[in-house]
Amino acid sequence: ANVVQQRGALLVSGGAASVSIFTSRPQVFSVLGPPSTYLSAALKTVASRGARTVILVQDSEVSSLEACGNAEEQSLETGMNVIGSFRLPTLVNTIWIESIINQAKRLSPDVFVGCVGETVCQ
């Protein structure tokens, strides 16, 4: 993005979404919206279908932070109650994951939002 901007060229990225890529670079575009809007439609949809409680889980990866950094606020705006919110450490292990899963089972949310990268999903 820096090189494109310096040369006055135009860059359209098919997958770039990090806000930092576009900041002060008016010739850099993405086909995706800003990450902070990714969950908005999904949360509104589940809330409109009766979901009232949500648990949020987020890892420390930049992409997760950008996509889900405002998930609690968005959940509250839809009328849902956030009954659990967890931020995973950088070096997460199965003990952390199992603990969160057990808490989620106990709390029994209508919606479980996981903003995690590939490492956590395995």
Side-chain angles (χ1 to χ4, degrees):
N2 279 337
V3 172
V4 168
Q5 191 65 32
Q6 289 169 358
R7 294 183 178 192
L10 178 66
L11 172 66
V12 178
S13 173
S18 178
V19 174
S20 63
I21 294 171
F22 308 102
T23 303
S24 299
R25 295 182 180 124
Q27 293 173 262
V28 178
F29 301 91
S30 176
V31 295
L32 301 174
S36 61
T37 64
Y38 288 177
L39 287 177
S40 182
L43 291 171
K44 286 177 184 174
T45 300
V46 296
S48 73
R49 295 183 180 186
R52 294 291 167 246
T53 58
V54 61
I55 286 181
L56 308 170
V57 179
Q58 179 178 343
D59 66 20
S60 300
E61 292 182 17
V62 172
S63 58
S64 298
L65 294 172
E66 288 185 350
C68 297
N70 63 351
E72 187 165 349
E73 179 183 319
Q74 289 183 11
S75 297
L76 295 172
E77 287 174 1
T78 66
M80 288 192 287
N81 294 315
V82 178
I83 59 174
S85 182
F86 305 93
R87 172 84 45 97
L88 300 173
T90 303
L91 298 173
V92 67
N93 59 39
T94 56
I95 294 169
W96 276 92
I97 303 302
E98 288 173 2
S99 172
I100 290 171
I101 297 297
N102 288 332
Q103 289 181 63
K105 286 179 183 177
R106 183 176 47 79
L107 294 169
S108 189
D110 296 322
V111 179
F112 184 100
V113 175
C115 291
V116 297
E118 181 180 345
T119 304
V120 175
C121 291
Q122 293 178 358

